[in-house]
Amino acid sequence: MSYTVLARKYRPKKLSELFGQENLVQTLKNAIEINRVHHAFIFTGTRGVGKTTTARILALSLNCTGKDGSGKETVDPCLECDSCKDILSFRHPDVIEIDAASNTGVDSARDIIESSKYPPMVGRYKIYIIDEVHMLSKSAFNALLKTLEEPHSFIKFIFATTEFNKIPITISSRCQKFFLQNLTQDELFANLQSITSRENISCGEEVLRQIAKMARGSARDSLSILDQAISLSQDGKIDIKIIEDMTKCGNLSFGEEILSHIFDANLQEALNTSENAIQSGIGISGILSDMIEIIAKMMHSICTKTDEKEVAKLLEKLKSSDNFSVQILDRMYQVILNSSHFAQNINEKSVLDTLIIRLSYIQKIPSIDDLVSSLIKEN
Ligand SMILES: [Zn+2]
């Protein structure tokens, strides 16, 4: 039998199985129970926190017919009726999933609008799940707007995005918005513990705590790392050595490790870490948002003169380098942010490697302040 990756095998299928998103779960439950479900939603949050999972759960809840076919919208879909089965296997004719990253143009928006005129074929609702919706072009958004303004009662739109600020206000103001939270290390740990026990995987608390830390708030990333650790283990036993070998630097996340090598001016080690990071199954957007978060914390710590324990070691390294300034961190921040816009469309490894090389050079470029003062001196 082929191996199903853990993130897919244990993907929540009901609102009650979603964890770490209490407000969202309660609001959707209430709406379904009193049958007042909004016609358009935006789920936003970082990668792997459950945006498309929640969208599919909503589709199950809205179209489930119950085992005997007489059911109504429900917070507890049966997962056994034809509708549930078809949604779970991605072949329900009325639950249409579109990846806006590869369908950005106005033509795909027109297709949606055209097909949304017709009632659902078999389901109660026709549900459009549009992932990475911020990637749609301006004209595609404009084309969608009309449908959002005057929707048929049988249409539901569910938009998922990591970049809420790129969605036109005309669109977002017509949607019910949910900001999905990053999961805490304790929540990720509890989830990993429950899954390893169901999978009969033997590993200690230390291992799971470390994976929870490395995943930086993403359930999907935590399970990808666990999958990778399982593939490296023998006899289903994962010891901390396996996890340490995966990150080389032991208790650092990949983002921390890459930055640490860059501050040490060790380009080769930074590139090696990039290789390990991509192989671990953490998507590049996870690694980049990790790096962005770390640099933001470092800048905050320097500018407010407060202690940020999490970045103290990196700050020490940076301060001991010849060319230290907040401007360097600021430039690094901008460069990483720019890379994150390309991350989804180009080879992940080449984006990350090129970024690392650019970051290494930034450290060597003198700051504007230094340039100005050297010019003043020369004159
Ligand atoms: Zn069902």
Side-chain angles (χ1 to χ4, degrees):
M1 221 170 73
S2 64
Y3 180 72
T4 308
V5 296
L6 295 172
R8 187 174 308 159
K9 186 169 175 186
Y10 289 98
R11 173 173 267 170
K13 297 181 182 73
K14 299 178 181 195
L15 286 173
S16 57
E17 293 171 4
L18 270 179
F19 61 98
Q21 313 293 350
E22 281 71 24
N23 288 343
L24 162 96
V25 167
Q26 198 51 52
T27 313
L28 288 180
K29 268 188 180 170
N30 293 348
I32 293 167
E33 273 164 359
I34 59 170
N35 198 14
R36 293 185 76 90
V37 177
H38 206 273
H39 70 277
F41 295 88
I42 296 179
F43 295 142
T44 184
T46 51
R47 80 292 158 202
V49 290
K51 299 181 293 294
T52 45
T53 296
T54 311
R56 287 183 196 134
I57 289 176
L58 196 51
L60 286 164
S61 288
L62 291 175
N63 269 343
C64 172
T65 58
K67 286 175 206 165
D68 62 359
S70 67
K72 288 202 161 59
E73 292 93 331
T74 172
V75 294
D76 189 26
C78 71
L79 310 181
E80 286 177 32
C81 67
D82 287 346
S83 175
C84 284
K85 281 194 215 153
D86 285 350
I87 293 171
L88 290 171
S89 55
F90 304 101
R91 53 187 163 83
H92 195 294
D94 301 315
V95 178
I96 301 122
E97 286 200 36
I98 298 156
D99 178 11
S102 45
N103 297 282
T104 56
V106 70
D107 286 347
S108 37
R110 283 212 189 95
D111 288 345
I112 296 171
I113 293 155
E114 192 51 36
S115 78
S116 70
K117 288 179 192 158
Y118 306 104
M121 280 190 250
V122 291
R124 211 174 280 124
Y125 297 98
K126 201 166 198 173
I127 300 167
Y128 293 89
I129 299 174
I130 307 186
D131 198 13
E132 301 295 353
V133 70
H134 62 272
M135 303 285 281
L136 286 183
S137 66
K138 201 173 166 211
S139 36
F141 272 126
N142 281 339
L144 260 184
L145 189 57
K146 186 114 185 64
T147 321
L148 278 179
E149 280 171 332
E150 294 160 17
H152 289 292
S153 58
F154 50 76
I155 294 289
K156 303 284 178 201
F157 281 104
I158 310 176
F159 302 131
T161 179
T162 45
E163 298 186 48
F164 177 74
N165 55 348
K166 287 192 183 163
I167 298 179
I169 185 97
T170 44
I171 298 283
S172 63
S173 62
R174 285 171 174 80
C175 300
Q176 189 170 11
K177 297 166 274 289
F178 289 101
F179 295 85
L180 279 75
Q181 305 297 317
N182 274 5
L183 301 164
T184 65
Q185 286 188 25
D186 283 343
E187 285 164 345
L188 291 174
F189 170 76
N191 188 47
L192 287 164
Q193 210 172 29
S194 139
I195 288 174
T196 45
S197 110
R198 278 188 276 173
E199 289 283 315
N200 273 329
I201 297 163
S202 136
C203 58
E205 179 172 336
E206 189 188 12
V207 167
L208 298 184
R209 291 257 172 230
Q210 181 54 28
I211 295 177
K213 183 174 181 232
M214 287 158 70
R216 294 242 158 206
S218 160
R220 185 171 59 219
D221 285 355
S222 74
L223 295 181
S224 298
I225 298 169
L226 181 59
D227 265 326
Q228 171 77 356
I230 292 169
S231 72
L232 295 171
S233 69
Q234 284 167 348
D235 315 326
K237 278 188 196 151
I238 304 173
D239 59 34
I240 194 71
K241 175 88 174 49
I242 290 177
I243 307 294
E244 283 172 357
D245 284 349
M246 280 169 69
T247 63
K248 288 283 187 338
C249 279
N251 60 354
L252 296 182
S253 70
F254 286 116
E256 281 173 304
E257 193 184 326
I258 289 172
L259 288 171
S260 163
H261 292 314
I262 290 173
F263 295 150
D264 282 340
N266 193 339
L267 178 60
Q268 191 51 54
E269 273 305 310
L271 292 172
N272 292 345
T273 307
S274 150
E275 175 93 41
N276 291 338
I278 297 285
Q279 273 180 7
S280 79
I282 291 188
I284 184 166
S285 49
I287 300 164
L288 296 186
S289 65
D290 185 19
M291 291 165 80
I292 287 171
E293 209 178 297
I294 294 164
I295 294 201
K297 275 191 185 149
M298 291 173 80
M299 288 167 74
H300 184 267
S301 170
I302 295 171
C303 295
T304 60
K305 296 191 169 55
T306 46
D307 262 351
E308 293 267 4
K309 272 194 192 126
E310 228 184 302
V311 293
K313 278 194 180 151
L314 282 178
L315 273 174
E316 240 172 72
K317 274 191 183 185
L318 182 66
K319 283 178 180 167
S320 65
S321 69
D322 302 340
N323 193 19
F324 162 71
S325 71
V326 181
Q327 284 92 331
I328 286 180
L329 283 177
D330 184 35
R331 270 187 250 159
M332 292 176 99
Y333 188 89
Q334 296 297 336
V335 169
I336 302 171
L337 213 55
N338 285 340
S339 293
S340 64
H341 298 318
F342 300 107
Q344 280 144 343
N345 295 336
I346 311 176
N347 176 303
E348 291 198 335
K349 174 97 173 55
S350 76
V351 172
L352 190 54
D353 284 354
T354 311
L355 171 68
I356 289 171
I357 293 167
R358 290 186 68 193
L359 292 176
S360 311
Y361 277 103
I362 284 175
Q363 265 209 293
K364 294 176 188 157
I365 302 171
S367 71
I368 293 175
D369 288 352
D370 289 344
L371 278 178
V372 171
S373 53
S374 72
L375 281 173
I376 292 171
K377 264 186 216 162
E378 275 175 28
N379 291 327

